[in-house]
Each structure stands twice: as C-alpha cells, then as structure tokens.
Amino acid sequence: MAATATLASILTNTSLSSLVWSSTYRRTLLSPVRLVCRLASNHFWTENYQKNSNFITWDSRARSRYRSFSCQSTASSNVDSTPDSVSSNGFRKYGRLLPCPSENGPPRVEHLVVKEGGPVLDYISNSLDLPPLFVADLIHFGAVYYALVCPKPPPSATPEQIKTYKEVTAPSVLKNRASVKGKTVREAQKTYRITRADEFVEAGTYLRVHVHPKRFPRCYEIDWRSRIVAITESYVILDKPAGTSVGGTTDNIEESCATFATRALGLTSPLMTTHQIDNCTEGCVVLARTKEYCSVFHGKIREKKVKKLYLALAAAPVPVGVITHYMRPINIAPRLVSEESVDGWHLCQLEVLECKKVAWPTSMTERRYSIEDCGWPPQDFAYECKVNLLTGRTHQIRAQLAACGAPIVGDSMYLPAAVAEIVNPRLNPFRKNSKKYANETDKAQAIEEWIAQHGKEPAVAIGLQACQILWDNGEHFYEAGTPWWR
C-alpha cells in the first residue's frame, strides 16, 4: 500500500488491513473474560464461537442516533455508587472514579462510529448509557481515543458488519469530509487522545472508550515527596514505588509516577518519562523537566551511555558472570527466552556481579507488599543478586533468572513456570536439552503448553529494585533507598 495513496482510492480495497484490529489490540480486546461485541443495525443477530475456552459473541442492536463497533465485558461497568439508583437527569447515580478501587475490574473496551456529530461527552454517555461525570473522568484519565476514519472490522466480521463499515467509509461519504481530504489511510486511522469533554466529534469519527481503566491504588498510599532522590533544572530522580506505573498506561495517564511526582513538587509543567521499569519493580527512574532534556536522555540511552544496576531477590542461587539468552520478538507477556540462538530473536545479556544468601522475607513483609507465594518449595532463604543490565529488554531480568531456575521472589508471572519445570525438567521447549519434536505443529503445541505454565502479572511488588542509575561516565550517579525486603 503506497504511503501517499489517498483514502478515496484505498478504502475500496478489500485487502485494507486495520491498524486497530492488529494483534496488539486483539490481545487487549479478547482478554480472558466473557465478552459481548456489538455492531448496530436495524435488527438483531448473533454469531458465537469458541476461542481459548472463552465464548465471544458478536451482537447487533438497533440504535437511533449512532452505530458502534464495541467490545465489553458482561460484568457490570461498576460506575454507580448505589445499585439501581437514578438521578434527576435520568442517569444512574455516580460517585466518580475516586476513591480508587482496591482491585481492577474486568477489561471493557467500546468501539463507536459516530453517526451524528456533537460533543464527545454527550455522544458517549448516550451511546453507552454511562453517566456524564463518569465519561468526563474517563476523558481526564486519558481513556478515550478518536480517529478520523473507522478501522476495518476483524476477519470474523459478518457481511452485515462489513456493510455498515463500508457505509461510513464509502468514498462518496469521505469526499464530503474536509477533515480527511488528502490524508492517507495511515494518517486518517491514527488514534489520538480526547483531551476535552466538550470536544466536537463529526459524523464518521471512530471512538475507542476504555470503560474500565487499569487502576493503581498504591498511588494514593505513597508519600511522594519522600521518594524524590534529586531535583535539577533538567530532570528529577524518583525512587519509584512498586505497584505504580512510571508514565501511565494506555487507559490511565492520571495515576502515574510522573503525575504524582509533579504534584508533590508543585511543578507547573508536567514531568516526562525518559525510560520505563515494570510496574512491579521499584527503584530509580529519570523524569525529564523539559522536552529538550527528554530527547537528550533518550539519545544517551541509544548511545549506551546510561548504566543501570539492579538488586534481584532470587528464590535460588545464581552463578556470578554474564548470562546470555535470546528473547522471542513478540510484544506480549510472558517473555519467552531460549538458551540457544533463534533466528530473529533478540539477544539478552545481564551480568551477575554478586549473589549472597539472605533471609526469605517475613510473612508480615510479604503481606505488606502483596507478595504472592506461587508455590516455591523452600522458603527459608533467598539470594540477593546485584545485576548489571547489559541489554534492556522488557521483563529481561525476570525472564532470564527464571530460565536459570532462580525466579524472582513474588513474581507470579514467571515463578509458577519455574516450579512446573522442577517437576518436569523437559517441559521447557527452549532448553538446550529439550526433547526433539517430530514437526513444527508438535513444537508449537509444546510452546503453548509452556506459556500456559506461566501466571499473571504481580499485584504490587516483586523482589526487584533498580538500585543505581548513572550516565556520562558516572558524572550523574544516583541510588535508590533500601529495598522493601530488607
């Protein structure tokens, strides 16, 4: 598809691939909950099918002023403070998004195509039967997105869904929309956050609404001022607490370290993220005070001028020295690593500088930080390792140490698989001594079975801290405080 092709010529091509219905978005939408997906037309229809033991239902319902491509959980949206209570304006009573719930609700993402233009808040409220205050909060959280042109429905869509899609993206319709004239498909389908509740959305605009944003209750428990390590004209060093997000998530930029640190310091300009560490990891992060320094620090990372040291609390001893694996290039957890080089997989290297035997965290400490048991057999001693991260892959330390038989304490994602491998050493298909497979189908099945041994992302903390960060040959050097397990 030519990058300069216009919408009118390309949208008639039935091979047009959707940016929104890519594998990344399918993973978000087809989560392990029962989903109901609907597309409005003039009558009801359903099509059920089984996928990974989850029933998916595509449903169409008549609506007067709008059409929607939407996916939602069958669980309630949890937006009313009193069940079945109704306010004077006809909407359910609503107590806002605060106080923050202690647990996240099931995922719910709605996809709408605007039939009649108007203020975005009113349109979403009426379309999804949500209280206006709730929608306003979703917009404030950064949980509402728009694109000028609706993406193509997934391959499982019915002829009626395709028909509706073609109606709102027909060249005869698009040529009358000044906002999309001359734009390529990629440009017109690019999504942006809605930032104002009174923002006008024209007919044909695509909306994506994350009705249940991922929440971070730990943000409200932290003395953020006490977590500031250093303040300069260009950046702030934060000792990030476990159970928080550095810069926010796709559906929640409000409950983030950058936001709360900005408020704690009374800054007028928001702090910006320069790099990430996992939500369940604590320790040093650099937050830029200006766009210019944000760009400068990104350059230092690219040029490998930034060095990070970690403390990892492993469940078993780890040999000192460089550990090498190769990580599967798929942006989804769990991150799979192989002891042998695999075509296209990313090199992962870390150096264990020291490994010392320490006491396993007490039950009181584990409860305080919501450390999950995960079934590791001996829990008398753990092993504190100082790790020099040589390559910076997502989940790298967690995945590599687990692959060495020394998963990180409390890591409910990787530790269960390590336990399963103790019981059956040949379970991991990426070991050098793993069994040989007769064909690719058998190997693919073994990989799926291995993935199934992994658990869920930790609720709050694991035994991992970004203990030191330095750059420019140590000219800038910072250390985090005492790790939670000491």
Side-chain angles (χ1 to χ4, degrees):
M1 185 184 304
T4 56
T6 61
L7 279 168
S9 61
I10 294 179
L11 281 172
T12 56
N13 187 343
T14 56
S15 65
L16 171 65
S17 61
S18 164
L19 299 179
V20 173
W21 290 105
S22 65
S23 59
T24 301
Y25 283 94
R26 287 197 299 272
R27 286 194 298 273
T28 301
L29 302 179
L30 304 182
S31 51
V33 294
R34 184 182 174 97
L35 301 178
V36 178
C37 304
R38 57 191 180 184
L39 172 66
S41 65
N42 295 323
H43 58 278
F44 291 90
W45 50 268
T46 60
E47 178 185 346
N48 296 326
Y49 64 91
Q50 178 91 20
K51 182 175 182 181
N52 297 331
S53 300
N54 297 316
F55 283 103
I56 308 296
T57 305
W58 291 91
D59 181 25
S60 169
R61 307 188 180 183
R63 298 191 181 192
S64 57
R65 299 178 58 243
Y66 56 88
R67 290 175 179 171
S68 73
F69 296 88
S70 70
C71 287
Q72 70 179 66
S73 164
T74 53
S76 65
S77 59
N78 297 325
V79 296
D80 42 276
S81 56
T82 307
D84 301 323
S85 59
V86 179
S87 62
S88 57
N89 63 4
F91 287 103
R92 287 171 289 170
K93 289 183 179 179
Y94 169 57
R96 308 301 293 261
L97 285 179
L98 296 177
C100 182
S102 58
E103 295 183 2
N104 280 293
R108 178 184 174 188
V109 182
E110 296 277 358
H111 302 262
L112 308 175
V113 178
V114 177
K115 182 63 176 176
E116 183 178 320
V120 66
L121 185 147
D122 294 343
Y123 189 82
I124 294 173
S125 294
N126 293 327
S127 299
L128 303 180
D129 191 27
L130 295 174
L133 285 177
F134 181 73
V135 177
D137 283 351
L138 290 179
I139 293 171
H140 176 69
F141 268 55
V144 181
Y145 292 78
Y146 80 96
L148 293 175
V149 172
C150 174
K152 190 176 182 179
S156 56
T158 66
E160 291 187 67
Q161 288 177 304
I162 298 296
K163 178 183 176 183
T164 302
Y165 161 75
K166 288 181 176 179
E167 286 177 1
V168 297
T169 58
S172 59
V173 174
L174 293 176
K175 71 179 183 181
N176 295 321
R177 294 180 59 189
S179 59
V180 302
K181 285 183 179 178
K183 288 185 171 60
T184 66
V185 170
R186 185 176 296 274
E187 291 169 340
Q189 289 185 327
K190 186 174 181 180
T191 55
Y192 301 89
R193 273 195 172 97
I194 294 285
T195 57
R196 300 192 336 269
D198 62 349
E199 193 164 330
F200 182 88
V201 286
E202 65 179 359
T205 300
Y206 162 75
L207 297 173
R208 188 177 81 236
V209 185
H210 296 257
V211 182
H212 293 165
K214 181 176 174 61
R215 305 303 300 276
F216 295 91
R218 279 275 287 165
C219 286
Y220 304 94
E221 304 168 4
I222 303 299
D223 176 5
W224 288 93
R225 192 64 183 81
S226 70
R227 307 290 299 199
I228 304 298
V229 176
I231 307 171
T232 73
E233 291 183 357
S234 302
Y235 60 83
V236 169
I237 304 296
L238 174 72
D239 187 356
K240 173 192 171 299
T244 62
S245 169
V246 177
T249 59
T250 300
D251 52 15
N252 186 348
I253 56 174
E254 166 65 18
E255 294 169 340
S256 70
C257 292
T259 298
F260 277 75
T262 298
R263 292 174 184 163
L265 294 173
L267 301 178
T268 54
S269 298
L271 292 168
M272 289 163 277
T273 59
T274 61
H275 63 106
Q276 297 284 346
I277 60 176
D278 292 344
N279 295 345
C280 55
T281 303
E282 64 179 19
C284 292
V285 294
V286 180
L287 301 173
R289 297 187 66 174
T290 65
K291 289 183 179 178
E292 290 75 20
Y293 193 78
C294 192
S295 178
V296 167
F297 197 82
H298 286 160
K300 294 182 185 296
I301 293 176
R302 285 192 301 271
E303 296 163 10
K304 301 189 183 302
K305 293 181 178 179
V306 180
K307 182 177 181 180
K308 305 175 194 174
L309 294 183
Y310 286 80
L311 287 178
L313 189 66
V318 183
V320 172
V322 175
I323 298 175
T324 300
H325 287 92
Y326 300 87
M327 182 176 285
R328 183 175 69 157
I330 295 180
N331 187 27
I332 184 173
R335 305 294 172 135
L336 303 183
V337 294
S338 170
E339 292 180 337
E340 296 184 313
S341 177
V342 180
D343 234 11
W345 287 33
H346 301 310
L347 174 69
C348 288
Q349 286 187 316
L350 58 80
E351 181 182 14
V352 179
L353 303 175
E354 61 181 54
C355 181
K356 60 183 180 181
K357 191 176 184 179
V358 298
W360 193 278
T362 65
S363 56
M364 182 180 298
T365 300
E366 288 185 323
R367 284 195 300 272
R368 180 180 179 186
Y369 292 95
S370 302
I371 303 302
E372 300 185 47
D373 184 284
C374 306
W376 189 259
Q379 295 188 358
D380 297 324
F381 298 99
Y383 298 83
E384 186 178 278
C385 307
K386 180 170 281 189
V387 177
N388 178 20
L389 197 58
L390 302 178
T391 56
R393 311 293 182 192
T394 302
H395 290 196
Q396 181 181 329
I397 297 176
R398 298 166 62 186
Q400 283 198 267
L401 292 190
C404 293
I408 292 175
V409 171
D411 193 345
S412 53
M413 173 71 72
Y414 294 94
L415 202 150
V419 172
E421 193 175 4
I422 292 174
V423 178
N424 181 3
R426 295 176 67 83
L427 186 62
N428 184 347
F430 300 109
R431 289 281 186 201
K432 286 181 179 178
N433 60 350
S434 62
K435 67 179 182 181
K436 303 302 178 183
Y437 300 97
N439 51 57
E440 288 300 315
T441 301
D442 288 349
K443 186 172 182 179
Q445 183 177 347
I447 293 173
E448 288 302 316
E449 290 173 356
W450 174 238
I451 292 174
Q453 301 300 322
H454 293 73
K456 58 183 178 59
E457 192 64 14
V460 178
I462 63 173
L464 188 60
Q465 182 198 57
C467 62
Q468 293 179 5
I469 188 166
L470 58 149
W471 62 95
D472 292 347
N473 296 318
E475 181 181 340
H476 303 266
F477 174 85
Y478 300 99
E479 290 186 295
T482 304
W484 64 261
W485 58 84
R486 285 186 186 169

